Amino acid sequence: MSWFLPAAADLLLGGRCVGCGEPGRPLCTRCRGDLPVEAWPAWPDPVPPGLVAPWACAAYDGVPRDLVLGLKERQLFGLVVPLALMLAASARSAAAAGPVVLVPVPSRPTTVRARGHDPTWSMTVRAARLLAGSGLDVIAHRLLEQRPGVVDQAGLGAADRAANLAGSMACPSTRLRRLGVRRGRVRAVVCDDVLTTGSTAREAQRALESVGLEVAGIAVVAATQRRTRRTP
Ligand SMILES: [Zn+2]
């Protein structure tokens, strides 16, 4: 009967595994079993000055890349859980211990509207639930917002990305208040799907530190291998 549910899903939805193309669920059991479960320090090269330790669970390639794009561009919401599992592994390494608040890198409002969803937030919320379920004192909050005037990062080099992003994020006091009594002792972990040059994560870190929050680390699902190395 193990074939039945995927086959029925395929019949009803025409779905295929984003990894191997097998008809059925958006991620088959075999490809899911092959996903990495341990995070490693993924330092960009060059490292943006002052960046806290970034952790990734996968290289941005192959199935992890297919997962990120499947959720982001094709609204395959069934991929939130496997992505969140990888993000959770990175966040656990970044946080080391609680209490911690997972803060997603903010998406541009126009992008969220066009896509109809916010994949980074979906992954971050689910990762927080997974970690809370395993005993970590953790919550997820959208503490950051993006200021207008930031252009799409795709195609920009490290220097252009940094210039495009400088001062582009903010943590409004209304959002900071959501932390309530936790505020004085909680540490933040910046969460994103992919780490490339590290400049987006660095800007998020700056915005959180500017309101007095300690940033414990950066957690991403995957890091582009061309630009990252595993030691600082
Ligand atoms: Zn597969």
Side-chain angles (χ1 to χ4, degrees):
M1 285 292 278
S2 61
W3 55 271
F4 179 74
L5 285 178
D10 184 40
L11 196 65
L12 291 169
L13 309 167
R16 286 181 179 281
C17 171
V18 293
C20 65
E22 183 182 281
R25 298 174 202 174
L27 185 67
C28 76
T29 313
R30 192 180 57 245
C31 288
R32 188 171 175 147
D34 287 345
L35 289 176
V37 291
E38 276 190 37
W40 37 271
W43 291 97
D45 187 10
V47 181
L51 185 73
V52 291
W55 293 82
C57 208
Y60 188 54
D61 204 359
V63 177
R65 184 170 178 274
D66 295 334
L67 291 176
V68 168
L69 295 178
L71 175 62
K72 214 155 136 173
E73 312 297 348
R74 293 170 56 205
Q75 287 85 39
L76 297 173
F77 297 113
L79 300 179
V80 169
V81 171
L83 285 163
L85 278 165
M86 290 193 281
L87 183 61
S90 300
R92 179 173 277 289
S93 296
V100 63
V101 56
L102 305 189
V103 182
V105 161
S107 305
R108 285 185 300 159
T110 48
T111 310
V112 174
R113 272 198 298 278
R115 285 190 182 132
H117 72 125
D118 185 345
T120 312
W121 172 238
S122 307
M123 274 184 252
T124 305
V125 168
R126 192 58 72 97
R129 270 189 223 148
L130 288 165
L131 291 170
S134 68
L136 189 70
D137 181 359
V138 58
I139 47 168
H141 269 311
R142 272 171 160 146
L143 292 181
L144 295 173
E145 66 177 19
Q146 201 153 49
R147 294 195 176 117
V150 182
V151 301
D152 196 325
Q153 292 290 92
L156 298 181
D160 290 335
R161 279 181 178 232
N164 182 41
L165 286 167
S168 69
M169 293 178 205
C171 177
S173 54
T174 47
R175 298 193 182 198
L176 197 58
R177 275 200 291 275
R178 289 183 198 166
L179 286 179
V181 292
R182 288 166 168 263
R183 185 179 163 184
R185 56 195 180 97
V186 77
R187 296 180 310 145
V189 169
V190 173
C191 294
D192 205 355
D193 51 0
V194 182
L195 184 92
T196 306
T197 63
S199 49
T200 302
R202 183 66 186 88
E203 169 59 16
Q205 177 191 338
R206 183 206 61 75
L208 292 170
E209 286 172 346
S210 74
V211 293
L213 282 171
E214 181 189 342
V215 180
I218 313 294
V220 295
V221 172
T224 53
Q225 217 161 30
R226 189 165 51 90
R227 286 194 174 122
T228 53
R229 55 206 162 90
R230 296 191 178 209
T231 49

